[in-house]
Amino acid sequence: MLALPVRGRLTANAPLDKLVWFKSGGPADFLFEPADVDDLIAFLSAQDEGTPVMALGLGSNLIVRDGGIPGVVVRLGKAFATVEVRRDQVLECGGGASGILVASTARDAGIAGLEFLRGIPGTVGGFVRMNGGAYGREVADILVDCVVVMPGGECVNIPAADLEYSYRHSRLPDGAIVVSARFRGVPGDPAEIGAEMDRIAHAREESQPLRSKTGGSTFKNPEGDRAWRLVDAAGCRGLRMGGAQVSEKHANFLINTGDATSADIEGLGEEVRRRVAQSQGVTLEWEIKRVGRP
């Protein structure tokens, strides 16, 4: 790890627990918050080959294990949180822009089709990587292309088709950082767009434990079924391990009740997977990303 001069902020042994929704986990060897794209490219270009690199957005879909994260964690700040309206119902968005900001900007510009981003708790970089989706839509439906900085510092433009999107997955390499993306919608009425966004916000508030320390949907929905239904059928609603609990409100959410370690949270998830496999005959796949040293 080469800690060269940067224009952004570089912190060694940086705590990450306050930066993730679960509020648990160990530190990053280094946390880098670049001033802009050029700062990021220069920093990564100077690192030793093989230095682990990981992007961190809002930390909503993530378990950082208690041993912390090796190498460099890159967090995109305000310089990357921009959304600009272009021609032909296209929005150009920084990798650090939130789903709410993108959807709200689209609404104000009379661009429909992006309302579902209001229901994704994360940033552009994260939901481009994982083909984030909600309420019947996903990023694959709206992405034109994205600009990505590779772990070695190479900056490339990738058309949506080259990401080979599938359910909650893309072929974006590990360590690649999405610094911007372009989304295309269709013409729409701002009032109708706003009403749909309000409906999505209300539905999330009613059904999900948004005021808890959680990580969003824990498991992917198996084809033709719902993860929450399988977890419920296996008798796991309310199940506890240490300070971690399966939410009583939504069985596909894990919550930190106060003092859970990341080992508690991940261990509870694995116990849920075991019980669902045993009683329902379905092996659930993690949707939450689990990173770092145990």
Side-chain angles (χ1 to χ4, degrees):
M1 170 69 202
L2 179 64
L4 78 171
V6 295
R7 290 182 289 114
R9 180 185 301 172
L10 181 64
T11 308
N13 197 35
L16 296 178
D17 55 339
K18 299 294 192 293
L19 302 181
V20 298
W21 280 28
F22 273 125
K23 303 303 180 196
S24 67
D29 288 356
F30 288 88
L31 176 65
F32 181 45
E33 299 167 277
D36 51 33
V37 174
D38 289 340
D39 195 28
L40 177 60
I41 291 171
F43 178 79
L44 293 180
S45 297
Q47 301 310 310
D48 296 333
E49 187 176 349
T51 297
V53 177
M54 190 195 92
L56 175 64
L58 294 184
S60 56
N61 191 53
L62 191 66
I63 294 173
V64 173
R65 293 182 173 124
D66 299 308
I69 299 181
V72 183
V73 173
V74 175
R75 188 164 187 251
L76 304 182
K78 288 184 180 178
F80 296 86
T82 57
V83 180
E84 298 181 6
V85 180
R86 303 301 191 201
R87 294 183 306 172
D88 302 322
Q89 287 75 53
V90 170
L91 294 181
E92 188 163 335
C93 309
S98 68
I100 293 175
L101 177 60
V102 177
S104 299
T105 304
R107 175 200 61 207
D108 295 346
I111 299 173
L114 282 72
E115 296 91 340
F116 74 99
L117 296 178
R118 174 65 181 83
I120 302 179
T123 56
V124 166
F127 51 71
V128 166
R129 167 175 285 281
M130 69 172 289
N131 192 20
Y135 303 97
R137 299 272 285 167
E138 59 187 11
V139 168
D141 299 327
I142 60 172
L143 183 69
V144 178
D145 55 15
C146 58
V147 176
V148 175
V149 178
M150 297 297 183
E154 181 187 10
C155 188
V156 295
N157 183 287
I158 303 178
D162 290 356
L163 293 174
E164 298 178 8
Y165 274 138
S166 57
Y167 177 64
R168 302 295 179 267
H169 179 76
S170 75
R171 65 179 297 272
L172 207 59
D174 287 344
I177 298 169
V178 178
V179 293
S180 66
R182 293 193 301 163
F183 301 125
R184 177 178 282 120
V186 296
D189 176 69
E192 293 179 5
I193 296 167
E196 175 63 7
M197 287 173 58
D198 290 345
R199 184 192 72 79
I200 288 171
H202 179 72
R204 289 187 70 230
E205 183 72 37
E206 287 295 303
S207 66
Q208 300 175 11
L210 300 182
R211 306 193 189 285
S212 302
K213 292 183 282 190
T214 184
S217 296
T218 306
F219 305 110
K220 298 177 182 180
N221 287 323
E223 189 170 350
D225 209 336
R226 294 286 177 180
W228 73 264
R229 190 198 70 77
L230 293 164
V231 174
D232 216 16
C236 295
R237 188 182 292 264
L239 185 67
R240 288 177 176 263
M241 181 176 290
Q245 181 183 15
V246 177
S247 171
E248 297 273 10
K249 189 171 186 178
H250 192 309
N252 197 30
F253 282 63
L254 303 180
I255 59 175
N256 177 354
T257 62
D259 59 353
T261 63
S262 291
D264 290 340
I265 298 165
E266 186 172 6
L268 177 60
E270 289 296 337
E271 176 62 14
V272 169
R273 292 180 73 237
R274 187 191 69 79
R275 294 191 184 195
V276 168
Q278 185 177 59
S279 68
Q280 307 301 306
V282 177
T283 300
L284 291 175
E285 292 183 36
W286 283 91
E287 183 167 322
I288 288 178
K289 188 176 179 183
R290 293 147 296 131
V291 297
R293 312 174 184 100

